[in-house]
Structures are given as C-alpha cells and as structure tokens.
Amino acid sequence: MRILALILSAFLVLAGVAPARADGWPPASWSKPFKPYRVVGNIYYVGSEGLSSYLITSSEGHILLDAGMSAEGAKLVERNIVSLGFKLADVKILINTHAHYDHAGGLAQLKADTGARLYASSQDKPALEQGRHFGDNENGLTPFPAVKVDRTVGDGQKLKLGETTLVAYLTPGHTIGGTAWTMSVTEKGRPLNVVFFNSISVAGNALVGNKTYPRIVTDYRATFAKLKTLPCDVFLPAHEEQGDLVAKRQRYLRGDLNAFIDPAEMGRFVAASEAAFNKELARQQGAAK
C-alpha cells in the first residue's frame, strides 16, 4: 500500500495536483479562493485564503512572490491577478520565500503561463530545480513540479524593476535557502517598511542529527537574530494565519485604513517563534539521549 501511495503521489505531482493526506492535510484554506485586494502601496494580495501570494507592481512590469502549492494553485493566483485588472504577460519576475511545495508548487505553471524569470537563493536553487526540499524532515520529501531558476540572489542583494526595489535577506532554517524580502512603500504620504516574511517554524525539521542539513540549528539562530534587526511596519507572511490577514482585511473594509500597519507585530512573531524553536530543540535533544 505504501508503494501505491508513493506512486499516486508522484503521479499527482506530475499532473500539477497537490496530493491530500489521509489526515486531511493540507488545510482546505490553502486551495480556497479568496478575493484579491490591495494591501498598501503597490502591493496586492493574490493568494488563496490560507496561502499568501503577493503581486508587486511597477511601470515596467510586475513581480510575483510565491505561487501556491500546485498548478491548480497557480491558476487561482492567475485568476486573481487578472481580476484586479493586470495582465499575466506583464508579470516579469517570480520570486519565492522558500522551496516547499506549498509555496513553490505553482512556480512551474506560472513561469510557463507568464514567461517570467525566476529569481531564488542559490541555496534553494537545487531544491527548486529537483522539485523537492532538502533536509531531514518527518514529513518526507513533499515533492512538487521542478522549475528552472534563471537567476540566483544573495543576502542583501537588490532586485529592481521600474521604480520598485526589493531587497533579499537570507533567512535559512525552515529551508536551507529561505528568503525574506523587504521594500519601502508610501501609503497616503506615510513611508512604510514592508517585510515579506519567510517561514521560520520547525515544521517537522530534524533539529538533532540532521544529516542532510547539519547546520540547521545554527542557521535558525542566525535567522532569529537577523530578523530582529529588520524594520517592519507591514508584516506580510507566507501563511495567512501568521499575520491574521483575513481579519485585517475585514477590519480595513470596516474603515480601519491602518489595519495592516503594526510596527511591533513582526517582533512579537519572531520572539514567539524563537521560543517555540527552543522548546522543540529541547524536546528533540531529550528524545535523542
């Protein structure tokens, strides 16, 4: 039965469909349509209800961050882009927070449909091009459609398109090449620092005895330290629930025009994530004795 399950999973990946597990994973919200909207400045939310994708627009074309978990997820993102009045052909650059299927599974489809170039960290490039993440994880390899990386980015490197500039910050741990992206916008005359936040949870990673990613603990700790130094007024995570984006959108529609602005939010999230990491590390260390 396990062999049949693996064969079925591989077939679904090739077909561009994210396989569901018997325990109901992934969550239904990850594939549930959600009406797209402008967040702040030239940033638009174009993901599903539970998985974030962001369109950053410019006069010379657009940048798309993350692509859903499958070809189906990519089509959802595409429909959202078009419904906002933008053209898929104007998407010139694809970027990614990290090489897990729920954020990279739709990249191949979006690249094929838009002709955009994919920029990613050199550390996550092998995973993206082989269609599986690296590092020992209790969830297995969680494959996704492989996609060619056209250009690699390093820590602190700027990505410019038209009047828009993003900066890449390597935040490894969750994956070996995870990347947070930052930019500045002006909203009603107010300058704001925006952070497109890469996941920093343990999420099944082996923190003790990880043979394929032996420096994982050191990387997590370096990432926590780095994130504490980044200014952030608008916290835009890879998973909706990490920033309560649905609730913020509802508040905005009720008249709270500052719903997405909270200069202390990312600091609170990083502190809670670091505490959860330390707890899980202690648990795994105790289990290994």
Side-chain angles (χ1 to χ4, degrees):
M1 292 297 292
R2 178 173 173 78
I3 293 174
L4 288 175
L6 290 172
I7 292 173
L8 177 60
S9 178
F11 172 78
L12 290 172
V13 168
L14 290 172
V17 179
R21 295 188 333 212
D23 60 1
W25 192 267
S29 66
W30 287 10
S31 56
K32 184 179 179 180
F34 194 79
K35 186 176 181 180
Y37 59 90
R38 188 182 71 86
V39 184
V40 290
N42 57 331
I43 301 168
Y44 297 81
Y45 186 92
V46 293
S48 65
E49 182 182 83
L51 280 181
S52 304
S53 292
Y54 300 99
L55 185 73
I56 303 106
T57 63
S58 86
S59 59
E60 295 185 14
H62 314 316
I63 300 167
L64 181 68
L65 171 61
D66 284 354
M69 60 180 174
S70 63
E72 291 178 336
K75 292 296 184 181
L76 182 154
V77 171
E78 291 175 1
R79 290 192 295 271
N80 282 346
I81 292 171
V82 172
S83 74
L84 287 169
F86 300 109
K87 297 178 181 179
L88 293 181
D90 289 335
V91 178
K92 302 301 183 183
I93 298 174
L94 303 176
I95 56 178
N96 182 227
T97 51
H98 60 279
H100 277 167
Y101 81 99
D102 45 340
H103 309 285
L107 287 173
Q109 185 69 52
L110 269 158
K111 190 176 184 187
D113 292 344
T114 64
R117 291 166 56 84
L118 174 60
Y119 291 27
S121 71
S122 58
Q123 293 87 343
D124 261 357
K125 177 181 177 180
L128 291 168
E129 295 191 335
Q130 294 183 38
R132 62 179 181 85
H133 76 267
F134 294 137
D136 301 338
N137 187 291
E138 65 182 20
N139 298 309
L141 296 177
T142 57
F144 54 86
V147 59
K148 183 181 183 299
V149 175
D150 299 293
R151 179 176 171 181
T152 58
V153 295
D155 191 44
Q157 186 170 341
K158 293 182 179 179
L159 187 166
K160 295 183 179 181
L161 185 64
E163 65 278 13
T164 296
T165 300
L166 285 89
V167 182
Y169 288 95
L170 298 187
T171 51
H174 190 75
T175 69
I176 197 169
T179 308
W181 299 82
T182 69
M183 65 179 291
S184 299
V185 301
T186 300
E187 180 71 10
K188 294 180 173 56
R190 179 180 178 181
L192 298 170
N193 294 305
V194 179
V195 176
F196 300 98
F197 195 81
N198 175 47
S199 296
I200 56 174
S201 60
V202 175
N205 278 332
L207 302 178
V208 177
N210 194 318
K211 296 179 181 178
T212 53
Y213 188 3
R215 68 172 190 274
I216 187 169
V217 170
T218 299
D219 278 357
Y220 266 110
R221 295 204 185 285
T223 286
F224 295 137
K226 179 183 292 184
L227 290 171
K228 292 173 185 177
T229 70
L230 293 182
C232 178
D233 301 303
V234 180
F235 175 66
L236 297 180
H239 286 272
E240 177 280 329
E241 74 276 5
Q242 294 174 350
D244 294 323
L245 300 182
V246 171
K248 288 175 182 173
R249 177 60 177 164
Q250 293 171 345
R251 284 167 46 202
Y252 183 92
L253 292 174
R254 291 196 298 266
D256 181 1
L257 301 184
N258 295 319
F260 289 92
I261 303 172
D262 183 349
E265 182 176 15
M266 191 174 86
R268 294 193 302 269
F269 188 85
V270 171
S273 298
E274 186 173 21
F277 167 83
N278 287 331
K279 182 177 180 180
E280 175 60 15
L281 176 60
R283 186 195 69 79
Q284 290 191 25
Q285 288 171 333
K289 291 181 179 178

